[in-house]
Amino acid sequence: MQNKISDILIIGGGAAGLMAGIGAAKVNAGAKITVLEKMPRPGRKIIITGKGRCNLSNFKDWEDFSTHIHPKPNFLKNAFFNFSPEKTVGFFEECGLRTVTERGDRVFPESGNSKDVVDTLVSAAASLGVDIIAGTEIRHIGSNPDGTFSADSADGTKFSGKSLIITTGGLSYPATGSTGDGLEWASELGLGTVPCFPSLTAIVPKGYKATKDGISASGHIHREAPLSETGALLNGNRLKNISLRILIDGTEVYDEFGDIDFTDGGLEGPLGFKVSRKCVKAIINGSKVKVIIDMKPAVTLNELDKRIYALWKEINEDRRSRSRSREDRMRILLGKLLPSDLIRGFLKYRPVNEAAKVGKALKNWEMDIAGYVGYERCVITAGGISTDEVSAKTMECKKIPGLYFAGEILDLDADTGGYNLQTAFSTGRLAGESAARKISTLQ
Ligand SMILES: Cc1cc2nc3c(=O)[nH]c(=O)nc-3n(C[C@H](O)[C@H](O)[C@H](O)COP(=O)(O)OP(=O)(O)OC[C@H]3O[C@@H](n4cnc5c(N)ncnc54)[C@H](O)[C@@H]3O)c2cc1C
């Protein structure tokens, strides 16, 4: 059996792990730093981020940035200022990766290719002497009485380190390697974890999927579950500038403007994702969730009714209408009020056969939510290692000195917009730097 000794062992070669290695090497150039990654190549998840473009950061200042972090934004504050979005972008630019900032302060590589972000991280780490060992799955970790740590790989190799940084991610998109291994190790070490649930995911209206059997007790509806006829008619539509209200057990908890997408999963898009955290949590807790869409938020019901009345009159007075059924005339009316691709699905979900009732239907499209798409296709895992277990100043575990956590494994998640990767970079960098400083004092 091989035994490989390092100063700093990092398990998980994703955004947080690679940045931890870079941070550690920059602080302590002489330290032997090893990143262990179970997939054949590091950074597999980064490749699929931002639809292949990788929204790697967000340039908002802390006041604004922190409103997108859940559940305890203050835990991130120190890591954020230690390695801020400006410093992160500065790091990538210095490494030769040009970036662009788009609407909403979102930062992308100028090339529009997420692979460039991975390549930059890997070559920066390698040039600093960090040893990245891919294709190595760690099965078990141990905290030794002499204060060192061990990690046993699936092929029998034993790794050990004076410090151990765990950056194995959450549970979302398990095909990228993130299968929650680190969460199990933390429980074995007696550390507190906050129950995980999928976030930034599709929420599924009742009747949208054809299956009843596919819904688990917790409300999980597999992404691959087939669409119902209504779901198939709605799939592919984007509703722009609508207002979305969320009711949990009858109480309104959310009301915002924006865009939603009907997809093969359910309700997604910027607003859909934004509300998914609240909705999934409520469904898991056994609450009833309802969404109410107002497709004409800029006008009052009274104003809309007046407009509909005028349109209806015009349609009925048109000579061509004489040969048309009432149903056809209703479709013509809706065609003047809604995107044409939406009409059949809308009518199937919300049948309306009187012009006088159209205004209310458009401003008050209610949908009960049956469930949500799970880890198989969610963007982020909410929950994880309790931040009470970890020092916000160093990312070191309070109960086990020398052990650090960073990235999605922590009970720290964010909205879409580059906040999640920035969180992984900031916490990873701080964990790496802190571990390296500690090693320096021991040397
Ligand atoms: C489809 C999708 C799109 C996204 N788009 C964006 C975006 O544009 N912007 C943004 O900010 N965020 C985005 N995110 C979220 C972002 O990707 C994550 O928050 C971030 O990658 C988390 O980084 P991490 O290093 O903590 O974890 P991960 O990226 O999950 O890395 C963990 C690594 O640990 C390895 N590992 C796990 N277990 C072991 C083990 N036992 N032994 C060895 N290695 C192990 C895994 O293989 C993996 O490589 C997206 C996520 C998804 C799923």
Side-chain angles (χ1 to χ4, degrees), residues 74-202:
N74 267 341
F75 177 80
L76 182 66
K77 193 171 180 178
N78 195 56
F80 176 92
F81 283 105
N82 179 62
F83 196 60
S84 63
E86 285 75 14
K87 288 182 187 166
T88 305
V89 171
F91 157 81
F92 280 111
E93 296 265 351
E94 269 170 35
C95 293
L97 184 87
R98 295 172 68 118
T99 60
V100 287
T101 306
E102 298 190 359
R103 190 173 47 86
D105 307 311
R106 295 169 308 149
V107 183
F108 293 86
E110 192 185 59
S111 64
N113 188 353
S114 54
K115 190 175 168 295
D116 295 343
V117 176
V118 179
D119 290 347
T120 305
L121 287 165
V122 170
S123 55
S127 69
L128 288 161
V130 177
D131 192 14
I132 302 173
I133 308 178
T136 299
E137 179 183 350
I138 297 304
R139 289 270 170 86
H140 178 259
I141 63 153
S143 162
N144 306 321
D146 64 356
T148 62
F149 297 88
S150 59
D152 305 335
S153 78
D155 71 2
T157 310
K158 231 179 166 43
F159 295 87
S160 60
K162 292 177 192 152
S163 286
L164 175 64
I165 306 178
I166 300 182
T167 50
T168 46
L171 292 148
S172 52
Y173 270 78
T176 62
S178 324
T179 47
D181 304 9
L183 293 162
E184 279 176 31
W185 303 331
S187 294
E188 283 163 18
L189 290 170
L191 303 177
T193 53
V194 174
C196 293
F197 62 93
S199 187
L200 304 183
T201 193

Side-chain angles (χ1 to χ4, degrees), residues 24 42 78 124 166 175 208 263 300 305 338 371 423:
N78 195 56
I166 300 182
Y208 197 85
T263 68
T300 64
D305 278 344
L338 288 179
T423 298

